[in-house]
Amino acid sequence: MNINDFLKMKQEAKPIKMITCYDYWSAKILAKTNVDCVLIGDSSAMVMHGFDSTVSADTSMIETHIKAVKKGINNKFIIGDMPFLSYRKTLPLAMESVEKLMKVGAHSIKLEGVFGNEDLIKHIIASGVPVMGHLGFTPQSINMFGNSIVQGKGEQASQQLIESAKILEDLGCFAIVLECISSSLAKTITDILSIPTIGIGAGSGTSGQVLVLQDLLGADPDFNPKFLKKYLNIHGLIKDAVNQYCSDVDSGIFPDVAHSYGVKQNASN
Ligand code: KIV
């Protein structure tokens, strides 16, 4: 997978499957799946480190997760997320963050929003780094949104999102994440653009989908946004497995002869 394949998949109406990945063991599993690309996102601050929002992510956090993921995956396109404010100070500082993410193995970076980022996006792309945009609910701006998760509501807000998407395409982004907007607006944007859109909480009219791995596996029983489909109850499965282990240790069932060294199971061993 490379940036041309993103475009090709949209043109051929093949859905792009993107998923987040933050560590070595899940990277080894994702390497064997049909996902097309892997996002080392700033949601790692929440699902891996327990912070309340993505505001707490920093470049070294994303760098560390990319390094771990790269050890387990070498057959997927990797997108590294530019964390909160890492691209809003100065161009040299932003480029230092871009460099760090690319040098540890990202194939592209993602950043949120458009206004005020135009020159930076142009510069990053002109420097040979593909950029994925991110519009709609942009979690790094959580403190600006208040309680309103779904974005682009009403004529003016939806027009602004459409305009923003067009600007990102014109700047040279190879794809755009659309988060928590109505299905119809996401489809309108997808139809207007040549580049693909990748939705999360944006319905089925986008060119692809992205979910946080821990969310789709059902790691947190308390996290149940409308857009999330849980494909597993990993919380329950892990809890049951660990409790089974505890009870086996308590009752002396584990370790048994089969799992012990230097103990003959029967005469033939
Ligand atoms: O960090 C993340 O998980 C993301 C996705 C929501 C697209 O940016």
Side-chain angles (χ1 to χ4, degrees), residues 18 20 22 39 41-44 81 110 112 134 177 179 200 210 212:
M18 178 157 112
T20 63
Y22 299 137
L39 169 68
D42 57 2
S43 60
S44 50
D81 223 355
K110 174 170 84 58
E112 297 183 0
H134 187 158
V177 168
E179 179 161 356
I200 173 163
V210 54
V212 172

Side-chain angles (χ1 to χ4, degrees), residues 162-265:
I162 294 168
E163 282 314 308
S164 301
K166 283 201 253 176
I167 294 171
L168 286 180
E169 171 162 285
D170 290 345
L171 288 170
C173 288
F174 71 96
I176 302 175
V177 168
L178 297 176
E179 179 161 356
C180 291
I181 64 174
S182 74
S183 307
S184 57
L185 178 57
K187 179 157 174 24
T188 303
I189 293 173
T190 305
D191 290 346
I192 288 172
L193 299 182
S194 309
I195 58 171
T197 58
I198 302 184
I200 173 163
S204 59
T206 51
S207 327
Q209 298 294 325
V210 54
L211 280 177
V212 172
L213 178 63
Q214 285 79 355
D215 295 347
L216 84 84
L217 296 179
D220 183 354
D222 300 325
F223 185 63
N224 296 297
K226 180 168 188 201
F227 67 78
L228 176 61
K229 178 170 176 185
K230 293 184 179 177
Y231 287 84
L232 208 62
N233 172 10
I234 203 176
H235 181 93
L237 289 172
I238 292 178
K239 200 175 67 176
D240 289 351
V242 170
N243 280 338
Q244 186 62 55
Y245 157 75
C246 291
S247 117
D248 283 3
V249 171
D250 279 340
S251 63
I253 290 177
F254 178 82
D256 53 8
V257 172
H259 297 96
S260 303
Y261 295 111
V263 186
K264 291 230 164 23
Q265 212 163 353

